[in-house]
Amino acid sequence: MLILKGKITQTELSCFIKDENMLFFLSYLFVIGLIFGSFFNLVGLRIPENLSIVKPRSACPNCNHQLTAVELIPVISFLIQRGKCKNCSSKISPIYPTFELITGILFAFSFYYFGLTTELIVSLTLISMLIIIVVSDIKYMLIPDKVLLFFTPLFIMERILIPLDPWWSPILGATIGFCLLLLIAIVSRGGMGGGDIKLFAILGLVLGWKLVLLAFFMSTLFGSIFGIIGLLIKKVERGKPMPFGPYIALGAIVTYFWGETLITWYSTNFLSTLF
């Protein structure tokens, strides 16, 4: 809130208006993210089962109680009901509020990072795809082709209208992303799923050739770290497959927002000492 003490300068007024607009858009994108996050949960859980995302209405998986509008308020309904179904008191999966909140935060951060620019469109599209994929991969160990096929033409159109520099970077990035993961799958004899391979091709289209390589490194790094932690706390069994989608998503998000900064930092602090 602006408290007037005497005369206000034009610069102070401009800064206040700018801050007020920023707060409004951040709040707006956060709420929109919560709402879309709820929808992405539904898509990620229904598409692998070949179920409609339109009907039937959301219901408790335990007692089939159809949820009312009050029970579908993102995050808030979960907190009010203390994580339990209003009808049968069975526990509600924390996946729902978690990814609603993550989507809201990432939508708001995208605006904070890019502002009202065309790249904001790419950012929101990327976040949307990754949230759906993570939900699906966690639940079913599957990255649905239908999801990838839906987003691929969107990204192609966006990178035509909102190109990277150089313009051919998305083409080379998609080629590298696909071939790199395919090579790993062949060498490891199935150690990499088909969904992961196709996902990295799409990420290459969005990130470009340089950042898709960094995204792969970050994904494997996060996967290794969380895999080791899972083994230590006995949440992961040795030799048992684990979903790689969440780590791809995490690596892609980190790379998308901070990839150029990481590359510059690495080049300045390490490569410059070698050459």
Side-chain angles (χ1 to χ4, degrees), residues 1-273:
M1 180 181 293
L2 180 64
I3 301 176
L4 297 178
K5 294 182 178 179
K7 291 184 178 180
I8 181 171
T9 66
Q10 186 65 37
T11 302
E12 290 173 331
L13 180 60
S14 299
C15 290
F16 169 71
I17 294 174
K18 184 178 180 181
D19 290 342
E20 289 289 293
N21 288 338
M22 173 65 78
L23 182 60
F24 169 77
F25 280 112
L26 285 176
S27 301
Y28 179 76
L29 264 296
F30 177 71
V31 172
I32 291 297
L34 290 178
I35 296 170
F36 272 87
S38 179
F39 176 67
F40 296 155
N41 273 324
L42 181 144
V43 174
L45 293 173
R46 288 192 181 186
I47 290 295
E49 297 277 7
N50 292 317
L51 299 175
S52 170
I53 61 174
V54 178
K55 57 182 181 180
R57 291 175 54 185
S58 297
C60 172
N62 185 59
C63 67
N64 292 320
H65 162 67
Q66 285 198 341
L67 305 183
T68 63
V70 176
E71 295 172 278
L72 289 172
I73 302 174
V75 179
I76 295 176
S77 294
F78 182 86
L79 296 176
I80 292 176
Q81 295 169 204
R82 298 182 180 180
K84 296 180 180 180
C85 172
K86 190 176 181 180
N87 186 61
C88 69
S89 297
S90 62
K91 288 186 177 181
I92 300 172
S93 171
I95 283 180
Y96 298 104
T98 298
F99 285 101
E100 290 166 353
L101 192 58
I102 289 175
T103 308
I105 292 171
L106 288 177
F107 269 36
F109 180 76
S110 292
F111 173 76
Y112 176 80
Y113 193 89
F114 292 112
L116 288 175
T117 63
T118 52
E119 189 62 28
L120 177 63
I121 300 172
V122 180
S123 177
L124 297 180
T125 309
L126 177 64
I127 291 166
S128 300
M129 180 188 71
L130 292 177
I131 292 294
I132 294 172
I133 283 172
V134 170
V135 171
S136 177
D137 206 24
I138 289 176
K139 178 67 176 179
Y140 303 104
M141 289 276 292
L142 176 69
I143 297 178
D145 286 340
K146 290 181 180 179
V147 174
L148 300 179
L149 288 172
F150 175 82
F151 281 98
T152 298
L154 294 180
F155 286 124
I156 292 174
M157 187 181 305
E158 288 174 359
R159 276 303 174 227
I160 290 174
L161 300 175
I162 312 167
L164 294 175
D165 185 23
W167 65 267
W168 45 262
S169 185
I171 301 173
L172 182 58
T175 304
I176 290 176
F178 181 82
C179 293
L180 178 61
L181 272 289
L182 178 62
L183 178 63
I184 293 173
I186 294 173
V187 172
S188 62
R189 297 182 181 180
M192 194 67 65
D196 300 329
I197 299 171
K198 287 171 275 192
L199 175 57
F200 255 99
I202 297 175
L203 291 178
L205 182 66
V206 178
L207 301 173
W209 75 270
K210 185 165 56 175
L211 290 186
V212 77
L213 291 172
L214 178 60
F216 174 72
F217 170 77
M218 298 301 294
S219 301
T220 54
L221 177 64
F222 288 133
S224 299
I225 292 173
F226 284 102
I228 292 171
I229 293 174
L231 286 171
L232 292 176
I233 62 176
K234 297 182 179 179
K235 291 291 184 179
V236 176
E237 296 180 22
R238 190 180 298 275
K240 185 178 180 180
M242 56 184 286
F244 191 43
Y247 309 115
I248 294 177
L250 181 57
I253 290 294
V254 170
T255 300
Y256 181 68
F257 288 114
W258 298 286
E260 294 291 351
T261 302
L262 289 172
I263 290 174
T264 301
W265 174 81
Y266 181 78
S267 300
T268 303
N269 292 278
F270 291 96
L271 292 185
S272 59
T273 61

